Amino acid sequence: KAGVTQTPRYLIKTRGQQVTLSCSPISGHRSVSWYQQTPGQGLQFLFEYFSETQRNKGNFPGRFSGRQFSNSRSEMNVSTLELGDSALYLCASSLAGQVNEKLFFGSGTQLSVL
Amino acid sequence: AQSVSQHNHHVILSEAASLELGCNYSYGGTVNLFWYVQYPGQHLQLLLKYFSGDPLVKGIKGFEAEFIKSKFSFNLRKPSVQWSDTAEYFCAVNAPGGYQKVTFGTGTKLQVIP
């Protein structure tokens, strides 16, 4: 069974640009979550989608948005990039998004904003 | 809001030494607790989890954790570490009703010296 796939693996953008990251969950998983990982801050929750609906959102500005498609694939968009958005963006999937389910993580997309 | 504190940011041990990594969470109700591990160059993966029952839970690779409700703690232990345990360890909590809105600690980097 293929794992969680994130593309692209690396991205370099300049301030003010926008970026779209993609995540394909494990086959059969319907919940997709996104996290921002930075040194010293650990993982910070961005949002979670289940059946194309955003169920939870973290404390990030409106420049961060996402969506989920009917095949459970998800995209995350960051508009008007800032230097502080440089981070590893992780996607995680789980079967039904229940609170005691484990998360399966992808390798992440390393975003550098210059 | 739930939060997680990991007090040790960087731990260095010799092989065969015993390990205990601290984790405290703040949430007044029932919680689901997790330890995730990120080996160098690999995905984050689940080490162990607790959601009910025996407060002493065993995970992969000889790790265990004890949930002490009165102390709001979920410390990770291993009696004898190996060089291959070198990794970053994250404690995480998810509260009921939160679906997959997992709160992670900032992580502890463990370096095991042969």
Side-chain angles (χ1 to χ4, degrees), chain A residues 4 31 33 35 37 40-43 45 48 55-57 90 94 97-103 105-107, chain B residues 32 34 36 38 43-46 49 51 88 90 94-107:
Chain A
V4 177
S31 169
S33 308
Y35 290 84
Q37 185 178 14
Q41 296 272 356
L43 282 81
F45 175 79
E48 185 241 356
R55 293 198 299 193
N56 278 298
K57 191 176 190 315
L90 293 171
S94 68
Q98 297 303 307
V99 294
N100 59 1
E101 286 182 347
K102 75 176 185 179
L103 295 171
F105 284 88
S107 298
Chain B
N32 299 285
F34 308 82
Y36 283 86
Q38 190 169 33
H43 304 178
L44 263 167
Q45 58 184 284
L46 182 72
K49 67 175 181 177
F51 60 89
E88 189 160 16
F90 293 90
N94 198 5
Y99 296 111
Q100 285 291 14
K101 186 177 182 179
V102 181
T103 299
F104 283 83
T106 52

Side-chain angles (χ1 to χ4, degrees), chain B:
Chain B
Q2 58 206 34
S3 66
V4 179
S5 296
Q6 291 183 245
H7 313 295
N8 313 104
H9 297 294
H10 197 178
V11 173
I12 301 174
L13 293 173
S14 297
E15 275 193 316
S18 64
L19 170 72
E20 181 159 3
L21 300 182
C23 171
N24 287 92
Y25 66 93
S26 67
Y27 184 75
T30 305
V31 290
N32 299 285
L33 297 158
F34 308 82
W35 276 97
Y36 283 86
V37 61
Q38 190 169 33
Y39 297 103
Q42 295 188 27
H43 304 178
L44 263 167
Q45 58 184 284
L46 182 72
L47 204 52
L48 48 80
K49 67 175 181 177
Y50 170 83
F51 60 89
S52 67
D54 189 344
L56 184 63
V57 292
K58 295 190 185 302
I60 60 172
K61 303 189 179 185
F63 285 90
E64 64 179 32
E66 186 175 14
F67 168 55
I68 303 180
K69 191 175 181 180
S70 61
K71 295 185 178 180
F72 297 91
S73 70
F74 190 55
N75 291 354
L76 182 70
R77 300 194 293 247
K78 186 171 183 179
S80 176
V81 294
Q82 300 172 315
W83 177 79
S84 58
D85 294 324
T86 295
E88 189 160 16
Y89 294 80
F90 293 90
C91 182
V93 62
N94 198 5
Y99 296 111
Q100 285 291 14
K101 186 177 182 179
V102 181
T103 299
F104 283 83
T106 52
T108 297
K109 285 187 179 175
L110 171 66
Q111 186 178 354
V112 180
I113 301 170

Side-chain angles (χ1 to χ4, degrees), chain A residues 71-114:
Chain A
N71 62 356
S72 294
R73 190 177 71 82
S74 178
E75 286 183 347
M76 191 193 104
N77 185 275
V78 188
S79 62
T80 320
L81 284 166
E82 299 177 0
L83 295 178
D85 297 332
S86 294
L88 180 66
Y89 290 87
L90 293 171
C91 168
S93 73
S94 68
L95 200 59
Q98 297 303 307
V99 294
N100 59 1
E101 286 182 347
K102 75 176 185 179
L103 295 171
F104 292 82
F105 284 88
S107 298
T109 293
Q110 184 68 54
L111 172 65
S112 298
V113 182
L114 307 177

Side-chain angles (χ1 to χ4, degrees), chain A residues 29-42:
Chain A
H29 285 194
R30 296 171 64 192
S31 169
V32 174
S33 308
W34 288 89
Y35 290 84
Q36 182 194 67
Q37 185 178 14
T38 53
Q41 296 272 356

